[in-house]
Amino acid sequence: MLPSFLPLLASPETGGPLTLTVRRREGEEIIEGSLCDDAGQSYPIEQGIPRLLPREMREAQISEIAARDAQVEDYDRMAFLNWFGKVEIPLTRQALGALPADILLEAGCGTGRMSQILAGSVREMVAVDFSFESLRVAQKKLRAAGITNVHLAQADLCSLPFACGAFDRVVSCQVLEHVPGPEARAAAVASLARVVKPSGTLALSAYKHSLLTKTFGKKEGLHEGGIPFFRFTKTELSETLSIDFKVHSITGALVYLYLARCTREQLPA
Ligand SMILES: C[S@@+](CC[C@H](N)C(=O)[O-])C[C@H]1O[C@@H](n2cnc3c(N)ncnc32)[C@H](O)[C@@H]1O
């Protein structure tokens, strides 16, 4: 973690500021240390990554973290995602419309499949996931590619540890469908809206309940390892996002995903 990350961070519990204690540095980077919030709760920094999960999480999310940590190597071996990304990533970038001066949040970055590409279009980027092992893989990839404008943090989408309006844009790909239940999904969308600036953009993709899945698949259930999933109808995705965002478009062009482009409305005066 670089010291320049601190001004963007806030407590996942109180939303208040965090105080940094450094135990080990390598050059500029803080490798071991802690962040303490205004209520006295301490969050560790381990292997250069701040671990900012809230104290209480839903049971289904705790088991998803264990499954994602265990499956981290399998994720990158999914050849299908590599070729699908050649269409998915350009379409996602188009929906996001990032500018060189932007600060971007990637919410649910996994092993960093998109992070390197996204980092090239902005000034600074923060990539979060609740799977620490996924973040460690993303960290290795970013270091190997010499990318220095990406901050990583372990965080839950439902309680993002950032200051209000910290980001110009937010991108979240194939994550919301894994957030279990309508209440948690609404909390995740509200949390994304809180951290993006008024008029800022959200590009979000999520599983589509298509004719194929209506005929042969399930609307919701569990993937291997107990990872929860939910397939949205277009109306469901629009309604979920519309509570906190203005939805400009939802395209079904990405085969099994919907891709939505939204903006955060100006806050009332
Ligand atoms: C299907 S993967 C997608 C990863 C990446 N966005 C990509 O497109 O390759 C879903 C990711 O979302 C993460 N995730 C799911 N729910 C989350 C939550 N509530 N908070 C943070 N990360 C979450 C998982 O750990 C996993 O890495």
Side-chain angles (χ1 to χ4, degrees), residues 26-195:
E26 276 174 20
E28 265 281 278
E29 196 180 351
I30 300 151
I31 306 295
E32 307 289 335
S34 61
L35 293 156
C36 190
D37 74 11
D38 43 341
Q41 179 70 27
S42 180
Y43 304 90
I45 302 167
E46 290 172 6
Q47 302 176 64
I49 301 173
R51 305 191 67 163
L52 290 156
L53 291 180
R55 263 171 305 172
E56 289 192 10
M57 294 186 68
R58 292 164 180 86
E59 206 49 56
Q61 292 183 301
I62 294 167
S63 46
E64 178 170 352
I65 293 174
R68 296 283 183 194
D69 282 350
Q71 293 172 15
V72 75
E73 283 174 14
D74 303 336
Y75 193 77
D76 278 354
R77 279 199 220 105
M78 288 168 71
F80 150 77
L81 275 179
N82 291 332
W83 68 255
F84 183 65
K86 295 190 194 315
V87 179
E88 179 198 14
I89 299 174
L91 272 185
T92 306
R93 288 179 72 187
Q94 195 180 32
L96 186 64
L99 299 172
D102 283 345
I103 304 184
L104 170 68
L105 172 67
E106 185 185 9
C109 62
T111 57
R113 185 172 66 96
M114 293 194 180
S115 312
Q116 290 184 40
I117 298 168
L118 294 169
S121 22
V122 294
R123 176 165 57 97
E124 215 173 342
M125 177 169 145
V126 174
V128 302
D129 202 282
F130 63 15
S131 159
F132 190 69
E133 294 308 318
S134 298
L135 290 166
R136 292 271 296 130
V137 173
Q139 184 185 50
K140 270 188 212 139
K141 289 183 191 168
L142 292 164
R143 281 182 180 163
I147 292 170
T148 54
N149 66 337
V150 181
H151 306 284
L152 297 173
Q154 187 184 31
D156 176 12
L157 248 69
C158 304
S159 312
L160 287 166
F162 302 111
C164 289
F167 300 98
D168 298 293
R169 282 161 219 269
V170 177
V171 62
S172 185
C173 297
Q174 307 197 39
V175 182
L176 192 64
E177 66 265 35
H178 300 297
V179 177
E183 199 189 301
R185 287 192 284 274
V189 173
S191 187
L192 293 170
R194 187 183 63 76
V195 301

Side-chain angles (χ1 to χ4, degrees), residues 223-260:
H223 287 323
E224 204 187 319
I227 294 172
F229 72 86
F230 175 86
R231 292 192 172 105
F232 290 87
T233 64
K234 199 170 186 174
T235 306
E236 283 168 341
L237 184 60
S238 177
E239 284 175 359
T240 305
L241 296 172
S242 297
I243 300 171
D244 299 283
F245 287 93
K246 179 166 180 172
V247 179
H248 295 278
S249 63
I250 297 182
T251 170
L254 286 172
V255 193
Y256 69 103
L257 300 173
Y258 281 123
L259 173 64

